[in-house]
């Protein structure tokens, strides 16, 4: 009787301890183990944690299965991945080891990870197909790696599923953003999707991924509308960028292979935790952990300027990033469609041609191309394939009456077929062009705009005249100054009479001999001329006497020669300042 009583007590204790004994240990979850609220899996190396969490702005009873940085790495809980974004599970406040608590486990039939709510309903699963365990389920395991990737491994060690193939709002080193040419394991690409609001990890409005039409740029969408886009890259590349705020070097890589094209990034060993995130407000941000401030530092954020969001400057307009705040301008050969709206800062109607193209036909001989350098080329380009030269690309555009611009670029590829040269052409409105510099190793392109031949020649000629006229005038003036100074410096014994001085330069002025005495920095004064003298010298500021316009005003050739002829230079060089009162 006493023995039976001891047996019952032992059995009861074992039953009470069973849930804890079946909890996971270390960095993996195996068959027969349950992960419940309060339990965690920590990666080997201690960088990441897998467990249940409640967002700070959400009701604690509504919880999600997620991965976050460990508190030894980042002192503020920062979630990088969420499993059940659309289906939170409810925790009733009792012990997480209660039989009715939500749990994560490995199913025995198809080696899937399954998250069940308190009633046993499936809230989320890895949904692996075609990977039944065939009796070897006991060796299947889910492992949290130290890079933050949760993987399901088959008995032979093959990866059946990985969380990196199903990102949420965060992009961390080792992840990919791109697309597969041939979908595999049910995955055809990788896209980052924002949270709905800070307290709700369900999919939000904004997402970031590869352009499905060209695979040459990354896009940030607001629903189905493009919100922002990167520059079109030149294919395979690796580039590094140093961020002084946290001392972090980011290495950006674009890989184009036979199976997939994607962008990824990495940081050096020992660098602080670094991540990209798509926010619910529509920002794509680069964040790095500031160990001194114990907070996330925003290194970069896109869109970065008021005119950076997609199409902000309208058709045929572009955002000029050479100005700190950015400014909308019209592409060369175009003018605002509505000058009134443009002056009020309304750019939605964009720009229109200032001069119409020649009638279509005859191979486009009536048109020319005007080059704009340092451009992020417009969106909606068409690839014409491999081209031998820029001239060949231009000829292809000229033959197409609908072609309004082209860009010729070299595409470096990691494929076996080697590098290519691409001809990008535009047959519709030019949208979302920007003037930029070299960013992330992606050089800005030269956009060649199709314009009337007369417009291109007229514009070039105008520029030439504007440049040459001041240059020639300056050379002539300097030559005259040197000649007069040389002649006068050799004319020993000749001095200007005080009477001439007073007659030619009204007002009190020191002579050259006086300038040579005392402290030159203190005694130096500049001759001046009255307004009436200048008016006479310039024929009352006649346009015929004007040789150009500079940053300080209009320049008149007669003014210079009038003064030089009437005022011989002293034997010692002196500076002359014309000041109009």
């Amino acid at each position: 009787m006493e023995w039976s009583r001891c047996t019952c007590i032992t059995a009861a204790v074992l039953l009470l301890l069973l849930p804890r004994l079946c909890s996971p240990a270390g960095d993996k979850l195996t068959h027969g183990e349950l992960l419940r609220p309060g339990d965690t899996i920590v990666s080997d190396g201690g960088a990441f944690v897998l467990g249940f969490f409640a967002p700070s702005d959400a009701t604690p009873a509504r919880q999600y299965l997620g991965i976050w940085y460990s508190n030894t790495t980042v002192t503020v809980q920062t979630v990088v991945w969420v499993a059940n974004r659309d289906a939170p599970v409810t925790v009733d406040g009792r012990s997480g080891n209660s039989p009715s608590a939500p749990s994560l486990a490995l199913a025995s039939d198809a080696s899937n990870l399954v998250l069940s709510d308190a009633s046993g309903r499936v809230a989320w699963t890895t949904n692996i197909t075609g990977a039944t365990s065939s009796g070897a389920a006991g060796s299947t395991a889910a492992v949290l790696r130290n890079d933050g990737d949760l993987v399901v491994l088959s008995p032979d060690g093959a990866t059946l599923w990985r969380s990196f193939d199903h990102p949420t709002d965060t992009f961390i080193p080792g992840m990919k953003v791109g697309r597969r040419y041939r979908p595999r394991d049910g995955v055809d690409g990788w896209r980052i999707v924002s949270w709905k609001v800070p307290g709700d990890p369900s999919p939000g409005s904004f997402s970031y991924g590869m352009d499905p039409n060209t695979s040459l740029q990354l896009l940030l969408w607001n629903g189905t509308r493009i919100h922002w886009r990167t520059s079109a890259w030149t294919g395979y590349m690796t580039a590094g960028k140093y961020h002084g705020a946290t001392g972090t070097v980011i290495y950006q890589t674009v890989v184009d292979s036979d199976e997939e094209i994607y962008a990824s990034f990495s940081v050096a060993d020992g660098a602080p935790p670094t991540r990209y995130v798509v926010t619910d407000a529509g920002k794509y941000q680069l964040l790095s952990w500031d160990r001194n401030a114990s907070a996330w530092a925003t290194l970069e954020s896109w869109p970065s300027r008021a005119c950076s969001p997609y199409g902000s400057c309208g058709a045929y307009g572009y955002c000029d990033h050479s100005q700190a705040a950015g400014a909308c301008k019209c592409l060369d050969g175009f003018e605002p469609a509505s000058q009134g709206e443009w002056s009020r800062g309304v750019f939605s109607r964009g720009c229109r041609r200032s001069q119409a193209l020649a009638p279509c036909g005859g191979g486009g001989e009536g048109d020319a191309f005007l080059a704009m350098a340092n451009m992020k080329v417009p969106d909606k380009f068409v690839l014409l394939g491999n081209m031998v030269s820029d001239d060949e690309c231009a000829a292809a555009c000229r033959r197409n009456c609908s072609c309004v611009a082209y860009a010729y670029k070299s595409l470096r590829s990691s494929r076996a077929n080697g590098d290519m040269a691409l001809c990008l052409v535009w047959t519709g409105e030019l949208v979302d062009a920007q003037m930029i510099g070299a960013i992330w190793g992606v050089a800005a392109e030269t956009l060649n705009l199709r314009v009337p031949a007369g417009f291109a020649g007229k514009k070039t000629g105008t520029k030439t005249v504007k440049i040459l006229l001041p240059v020639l005038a300056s050379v002539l003036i300097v030559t005259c100054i040197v000649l007069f100074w040389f002649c006068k410096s050799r004319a020993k014994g000749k001095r200007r009479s005080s009477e001439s001085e007073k007659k030619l330069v009204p007002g009190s002025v020191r002579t050259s001999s006086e300038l040579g005495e005392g402290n030159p920095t203190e005694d130096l004064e500049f001759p001046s001329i009255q307004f009436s003298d200048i008016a006479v010298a310039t024929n009352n500021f006649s346009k015929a006497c004007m040789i150009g316009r500079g940053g300080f005003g209009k320049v008149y050739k007669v003014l210079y020669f009038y003064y030089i002829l009437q005022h011989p230079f002293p034997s010692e060089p002196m500076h002359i300042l014309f000041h109009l009162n």
Side-chain angles (χ1 to χ4, degrees):
M1 183 74 178
E2 189 68 25
W3 181 85
S4 299
R5 181 180 298 174
C6 291
T7 302
C8 292
I9 292 173
T10 302
V13 171
L14 289 173
L15 287 173
L16 290 173
L17 292 176
L18 185 59
R20 175 57 60 188
L21 292 175
C22 292
S23 298
D27 64 343
K28 65 180 63 176
L29 182 72
T30 60
H31 274 281
E33 295 179 333
L34 297 176
L35 182 73
R36 289 177 169 168
D39 297 331
T40 58
I41 292 175
V42 181
S43 64
D44 185 14
F48 290 92
V49 177
L50 171 70
F52 289 87
F53 75 97
S56 58
D57 296 341
T59 304
R62 299 175 70 244
Q63 296 204 2
Y64 299 84
L65 177 70
I67 298 172
W68 59 88
Y69 291 100
S70 67
N71 57 14
T72 59
T73 305
V74 175
T75 56
V76 177
Q77 187 182 58
T78 304
V79 177
V80 299
W81 181 79
V82 183
N84 54 323
R85 301 188 71 172
D86 291 316
V89 293
T90 302
V91 178
D92 58 12
R94 291 179 292 175
S95 170
N97 289 311
S98 168
S100 61
S103 63
L104 176 72
L106 276 166
S108 59
D109 56 349
S111 301
N112 274 298
L113 272 175
V114 178
L115 173 63
S116 304
D117 63 12
S119 63
R121 180 181 62 86
V122 175
W124 172 84
T125 176
T126 52
N127 198 28
I128 302 170
T129 58
T132 55
S133 56
S134 302
S139 300
T140 304
V143 179
L144 178 62
R145 293 176 173 165
N146 205 47
D147 60 359
D149 192 12
L150 177 64
V151 297
V152 177
L153 302 176
S154 68
D156 60 1
T159 300
L160 303 176
W161 181 92
R162 58 186 304 186
S163 61
F164 274 11
D165 281 340
H166 306 272
T168 51
D169 71 320
T170 303
F171 183 29
I172 60 178
M175 281 186 172
K176 301 176 181 178
V177 174
R179 57 184 288 261
R180 284 177 172 162
Y181 298 122
R182 292 187 291 272
R184 187 175 71 248
D185 304 328
V187 178
D188 59 2
W190 307 272
R191 184 181 290 194
I192 312 298
V193 183
S194 69
W195 285 26
K196 190 172 184 178
V197 292
D200 184 357
S202 60
S205 300
F206 295 94
S207 60
Y208 179 76
M210 182 76 69
D211 180 0
N213 297 318
T214 68
S215 299
L216 287 178
Q217 56 189 5
L218 292 162
L219 306 176
L220 179 64
W221 288 273
N222 182 2
T224 59
R225 295 183 294 105
I226 301 175
H227 179 61
W228 174 79
R229 68 187 181 96
T230 66
S231 298
W233 56 56
T234 55
Y236 174 82
M237 67 95 175
T238 299
K241 186 174 183 180
Y242 174 74
H243 294 274
T246 57
T248 305
V249 179
I250 312 293
Y251 299 96
Q252 186 87 12
T253 302
V254 176
V255 176
D256 183 13
S257 66
D258 290 331
E259 295 185 350
E260 58 194 15
I261 180 170
Y262 64 87
S264 65
F265 81 100
S266 61
V267 295
D269 293 339
T274 304
R275 63 192 175 106
Y276 288 89
V277 64
V278 176
T279 71
D280 60 287
K283 292 286 188 178
Y284 181 59
Q285 296 182 327
L286 173 61
L287 308 174
S288 184
W289 181 251
D290 188 335
R291 292 171 175 142
N292 295 325
S294 295
W296 288 100
T298 302
L299 303 184
E300 295 193 59
S301 182
W302 301 274
S304 58
R305 291 174 172 82
C307 58
S308 293
Y310 187 88
S312 294
C313 297
Y316 304 110
Y318 72 94
C319 179
D320 185 1
H321 283 249
S322 64
Q323 301 186 22
C328 282
K329 296 181 179 179
C330 290
L331 293 169
D332 290 347
F334 294 83
E335 61 186 11
S338 172
Q339 188 63 56
E341 292 181 359
W342 199 269
S343 61
R344 294 195 304 272
V346 179
F347 309 110
S348 56
R349 292 177 62 183
C351 305
R352 64 189 177 194
R353 286 193 179 276
S354 55
Q355 185 175 339
L357 294 174
C360 187
E365 286 80 358
D367 300 331
F369 290 102
L370 188 63
M372 288 189 69
N374 300 319
M375 298 296 293
K376 179 175 111 173
V377 297
D379 193 20
K380 303 184 183 305
F381 49 81
V382 178
L383 278 66
L384 293 187
N386 201 10
M387 291 282 175
V388 176
S389 66
D390 182 277
D391 290 340
E392 185 178 352
C393 185
C397 179
R398 186 175 282 109
R399 287 193 298 269
N400 186 344
C401 292
S402 300
C403 184
V404 294
Y406 82 91
Y408 182 76
K409 66 188 302 179
S410 177
L411 176 67
R412 292 169 293 164
S413 175
S414 55
R415 302 189 199 182
N417 56 8
D419 296 351
M420 297 184 295
L422 292 184
C423 180
L424 309 181
V425 298
W426 287 262
T427 58
E429 292 182 337
L430 302 179
V431 180
D432 197 46
Q434 297 185 23
M435 183 167 284
I436 59 174
I439 55 174
W440 279 104
V442 183
E445 300 296 328
T446 296
L447 179 65
N448 299 280
L449 299 163
R450 192 171 191 169
V451 295
F455 174 86
K458 181 179 179 180
K459 182 165 186 178
T460 303
T462 302
K463 284 185 175 179
T464 303
V465 170
K466 286 183 178 180
I467 294 172
L468 289 180
L469 189 56
V471 170
L472 292 174
S474 299
V475 171
L476 185 58
I477 291 168
V478 171
T479 302
C480 291
I481 292 173
V482 172
L483 287 174
F484 276 102
W485 176 81
F486 178 77
C487 293
K488 287 300 173 182
S489 64
R490 293 177 59 88
K492 296 180 181 181
K494 292 185 178 181
R495 294 178 177 274
R496 293 170 295 175
S497 64
S498 58
E499 183 179 354
S500 300
E501 185 77 12
K502 293 178 181 179
K503 177 180 179 181
L504 296 173
V505 185
S508 177
V509 181
R510 295 194 181 190
T511 65
S512 60
S513 59
E514 291 174 326
L515 286 172
E517 300 174 357
N519 187 339
T521 60
E522 295 177 357
D523 297 339
L524 182 62
E525 292 186 10
F526 298 103
S528 61
I529 302 175
Q530 290 184 351
F531 182 81
S532 57
D533 294 333
I534 297 175
V536 172
T538 59
N539 193 19
N540 201 25
F541 301 98
S542 169
K543 289 185 177 180
C545 297
M546 190 172 68
I547 61 173
R549 182 190 299 268
F552 296 96
K554 301 175 181 178
V555 180
Y556 295 89
K557 62 182 179 181
V558 176
L559 174 62
Y560 282 97
F561 290 115
Y562 175 84
Y563 186 82
I564 292 169
L565 291 173
Q566 302 297 327
H567 295 77
F569 274 68
S571 58
E572 294 295 329
M574 62 176 287
H575 298 282
I576 296 176
L577 172 68
F578 295 106
H579 181 72
L580 302 182
N581 292 314

